[in-house]
Amino acid sequence: MTITQPDLSVFEAVESEVRSYCRGWPTLFDRAQGSYLYDEDGHTYLDFFAGAGSLNYGHNNPVLKRALIDYLERDGITHGLDMSTTAKRAFLETFRDVVLRPRAMDHKVMFPGPTGTNAVEAALKLARKVKGREAIVSFTNAFHGMSLGALAVTGNSFKRAGAGIPLVHGTPMPFDDYLDGQTPDFIWLERLLEDSGSGLNTPAAVIVETVQGEGGVNVARAEWLRGLADLCRRHDMLLIVDDIQMGCGRTGPFFSFEEAGIVPDIITVSKSISGYGLPMSLTLFRPELDIWEPGEHNGTFRGNNPAFVTAAATLNTYWTDDQMEKQTLSRGEQIEVTLRALVAEHARAGASYRGRGLVWGLEFTDRDRATAVCRRAFELGLLLETSGPESEVVKLLPALTITPEELDEGLRILARSVRETD
């Protein structure tokens, strides 16, 4: 595909140097539908990025778009803070009936603000308030957001350095297989918790991702997650699962922790909860933890009513039965077959793969290879991003609604990109 260089001068002149994704995809996007984006010159790009997981149901999903347009055309409430509205009522009833009750969950729903990091901040504040302790255990290569509390439990040194102040009250521990299976699970954390001379203040909570997306698509085993939940119970710590990127069906079930058979005390949800890419996040917690005073945690944009509308439509369209979960797992098997063949073909490059559902990572021994693969994929019309602490992993994050044919198309481009960067 021949791409003419668009005029991006206004972005370079006016927008901050902090911009990032646009540097890897130097074109001017104009339209999007389903699994495709189109630039100003009409070039087509297959999307294996999905808004960093915010577009699980594709771009401008027609069912969700119709619900949104109908709501706006009747002058439905747009901005509502935490006022009671018909849109919020419909979402809460739908979320309760479609998500919570079928999973025997009675968690309360909190609207902490429009982004994932807002949900994490609320989770950390609540855990500390409930337990009366400050320390939070997190894990190596974790990513939980860019605000100060979330950064304190994030592993990436580059992102942490941006805080400009010491990040305190967070204690990192090894994620599953961080020590290559050479050390029994949780032996270090268990020893610290039991030893009064360890210097570790008893934590209020442990926060974990079941699959570390930004950290390199590191997949926690179900037995590891069950062991962590048991450890939390035995040591009176709350278990927080950050399901911001891996929830809403990304790994198959609606919540990514369902496979492990655990029910966290606190859950953070964002990205695809609105279904349409509209800003929205939730912090869910067991009813006995709901000790907030009115207004103790708030935010101007926690009442994004158009997002409530598309979120309810999403749940009613995709989550009233198990078809979406089955489809996601089937598409995941399709990806795994291709990645297995690619890894075998490029064995001398030290290639490896890992993933669950519709999140997969392809890693090479050469730490610069992933960036080269993503660059070549863009030239061939496929959007991919890197992940991992050194951007060493090619990350596949297609929409859950992608067709088998679209998936095959993207996987062919990926394979070609790998071969042409060898």
Side-chain angles (χ1 to χ4, degrees):
M1 179 171 63
T2 302
I3 301 176
T4 56
Q5 186 64 36
D7 181 6
L8 302 176
S9 58
V10 67
F11 303 102
E12 295 166 359
V14 179
E15 192 178 1
S16 166
E17 292 298 316
V18 79
R19 65 193 189 279
S20 60
Y21 291 117
C22 56
R23 298 178 188 275
W25 302 327
T27 192
L28 202 57
F29 293 109
D30 180 53
R31 298 183 299 111
Q33 209 290 313
S35 287
Y36 292 95
L37 289 92
Y38 306 89
D39 70 14
E40 196 174 42
D41 294 324
H43 298 117
T44 301
Y45 301 84
L46 183 56
D47 188 2
F48 271 27
F49 174 64
S54 296
L55 296 165
N56 280 2
Y57 313 96
H59 296 269
N60 288 304
N61 184 295
V63 176
L64 311 184
K65 180 166 64 175
R66 185 72 263 159
L68 178 59
I69 290 172
D70 288 347
Y71 182 76
L72 295 176
E73 285 187 337
R74 73 168 186 82
D75 292 331
I77 297 291
T78 298
H79 178 271
L81 291 119
D82 71 351
M83 294 184 289
S84 299
T85 65
T86 55
K88 185 196 280 191
R89 180 181 63 190
F91 169 73
L92 286 171
E93 290 174 344
T94 305
F95 191 76
R96 177 195 63 197
D97 296 343
V98 174
V99 176
L100 296 178
R101 282 181 176 169
R103 292 161 180 81
M105 295 171 62
D106 60 355
H107 288 55
K108 298 292 286 293
V109 178
M110 176 182 178
F111 300 99
T115 70
T117 199
N118 293 138
V120 170
E121 295 289 351
L124 299 179
K125 285 171 66 173
L126 181 60
R128 287 170 170 141
K129 179 178 175 66
V130 168
K131 292 299 181 183
R133 309 177 206 138
E134 297 176 350
I136 304 288
V137 171
S138 58
F139 291 94
T140 50
N141 290 315
F143 178 78
H144 296 290
M146 299 298 286
S147 50
L148 292 180
L151 275 178
V153 291
T154 288
N156 188 287
S157 59
F158 171 74
K159 292 181 171 64
R160 289 174 62 88
I165 61 171
L167 297 172
V168 296
H169 309 307
T171 303
M173 289 291 161
F175 191 70
D176 191 14
D177 203 37
Y178 183 76
L179 300 173
D180 301 319
Q182 300 301 305
T183 303
D185 295 335
F186 311 117
I187 188 171
W188 175 238
L189 178 54
E190 187 102 51
R191 188 70 57 84
L192 289 176
L193 290 169
E194 293 175 351
D195 182 2
S196 59
S198 70
L200 175 66
N201 295 327
T202 302
V206 174
I207 186 168
V208 67
E209 302 155 276
T210 65
V211 180
Q212 295 181 325
E214 300 305 309
V217 193
N218 305 311
V219 183
R221 294 166 296 141
E223 56 266 35
W224 187 86
L225 292 168
R226 287 192 289 269
L228 178 61
D230 179 65
L231 181 79
C232 288
R233 279 192 298 271
R234 288 187 286 109
H235 290 278
D236 188 33
M237 301 181 296
L238 298 177
L239 176 61
I240 305 170
V241 168
D242 181 340
D243 231 12
I244 288 166
Q245 189 169 87
M246 297 305 152
C248 302
R250 177 54 57 181
T251 66
F254 186 84
F255 293 116
S256 70
F257 52 79
E258 291 182 55
E259 181 190 36
I262 63 173
V263 181
D265 301 296
I266 304 176
I267 306 156
T268 61
V269 181
S270 189
K271 289 194 181 285
S272 276
I273 186 60
S274 80
Y276 203 74
L278 299 175
M280 178 178 173
S281 70
L282 309 175
T283 304
L284 314 175
F285 38 83
R286 297 185 186 276
E288 61 270 24
L289 305 181
D290 192 10
I291 63 170
W292 292 113
E293 296 290 336
E296 191 173 6
H297 185 97
N298 57 27
T300 303
F301 294 101
R302 65 194 185 279
N304 186 354
N305 280 249
F308 297 155
V309 170
T310 55
T314 299
L315 295 177
N316 282 320
T317 303
Y318 293 105
W319 292 103
T320 55
D321 57 30
D322 61 358
Q323 291 308 300
M324 177 56 74
E325 178 177 350
K326 289 179 177 178
Q327 176 177 300
T328 297
L329 296 176
S330 175
R331 301 285 192 273
E333 292 171 1
Q334 189 178 344
I335 292 177
E336 187 171 12
V337 168
T338 298
L339 293 184
R340 186 184 302 122
L342 259 181
V343 165
E345 179 183 343
H346 296 271
R348 65 181 179 83
S352 61
Y353 72 92
R354 52 191 177 265
R356 275 179 57 195
L358 278 175
V359 53
W360 291 84
L362 178 63
E363 184 175 3
F364 302 92
T365 302
D366 178 356
R367 306 310 246 186
D368 296 325
R369 184 77 176 276
T371 298
V373 168
C374 291
R375 184 183 304 116
R376 182 56 181 148
F378 170 74
E379 294 169 353
L380 297 172
L382 176 66
L383 301 184
L384 289 165
E385 72 164 327
T386 60
S387 70
E390 299 176 63
S391 299
E392 73 276 19
V393 178
V394 177
K395 182 180 179 185
L396 284 68
L397 207 71
L400 308 186
T401 51
I402 195 168
T403 67
E405 295 75 22
E406 291 166 343
L407 196 53
D408 272 337
E409 177 189 353
L411 292 171
R412 285 195 300 271
I413 296 174
L414 170 64
R416 179 179 170 186
S417 301
V418 171
R419 294 183 189 109
E420 294 185 359
T421 55
D422 200 348

